[in-house]
Amino acid sequence: MKGKQARNKALEQVLAFLWRGKIDLAIAYLRGLSKDELKKPEEIEQLIGYFERNRSFIPGSALRQKLELRISSNPVEKANDLVVSDRQKHNGMSWSVSGSTSLATVTSIYLNNEHMNWLLKRDITFQFNTPAEKSAA
């Protein structure tokens, strides 16, 4: 966008549509922006493409909030911190993709108290926790 005011206005409008889960309206708004307001029109097209490709993964946060469902990703980020980041992000460390995935898997199994189940039965229980329950990862 050309100018902070134009950018902020567009951002405020697009975020309002996304908050309500109105992906089509966000896309229509972006397509309706004047070419005179855009510094890099190709970046707007990339954003529109992102919305179109990921439409089914973009939640309507307003409804989720009304239903008292989680609207942030902080539990996932904390799980990543516990499972991967804390162990793998030290000076001088470098990890292969398979090594990183393996460590994350083993750590996750341990933190979720599934290690004996995995070792003895080669099985991992999958269940959703109720909101009152707390999980390590």
Side-chain angles (χ1 to χ4, degrees), residues 39-112:
K39 249 191 236 182
K40 298 179 180 178
E42 66 276 3
E43 290 186 5
I44 297 296
E45 287 304 317
Q46 286 178 348
L47 181 58
I48 290 170
Y50 174 84
F51 288 158
E52 288 172 340
R53 283 188 312 278
N54 295 289
R55 169 185 310 270
S56 63
F57 303 109
I58 301 173
S61 298
L63 178 59
R64 290 185 62 80
Q65 185 177 49
K66 189 172 185 168
L67 295 172
E68 298 181 5
L69 298 172
R70 189 175 301 280
I71 58 172
S72 75
S73 62
N74 60 350
V76 174
E77 292 169 16
K78 185 58 183 175
N80 179 60
D81 185 43
L82 290 170
V83 174
V84 180
S85 298
D86 188 50
R87 175 66 180 94
Q88 295 185 16
K89 291 186 176 177
H90 295 289
N91 279 341
M93 288 195 157
S94 110
W95 291 80
S96 67
V97 172
S98 62
S100 179
T101 302
S102 298
L103 180 62
T105 303
V106 169
T107 306
S108 180
I109 288 169
Y110 177 76
L111 289 172
N112 287 299

Side-chain angles (χ1 to χ4, degrees), residues 109-125:
I109 288 169
Y110 177 76
L111 289 172
N112 287 299
N113 203 26
E114 286 288 329
H115 53 288
M116 292 310 292
N117 197 23
W118 174 250
L119 291 171
L120 298 175
K121 300 177 186 173
R122 290 282 194 224
D123 187 39
I124 298 174
T125 306

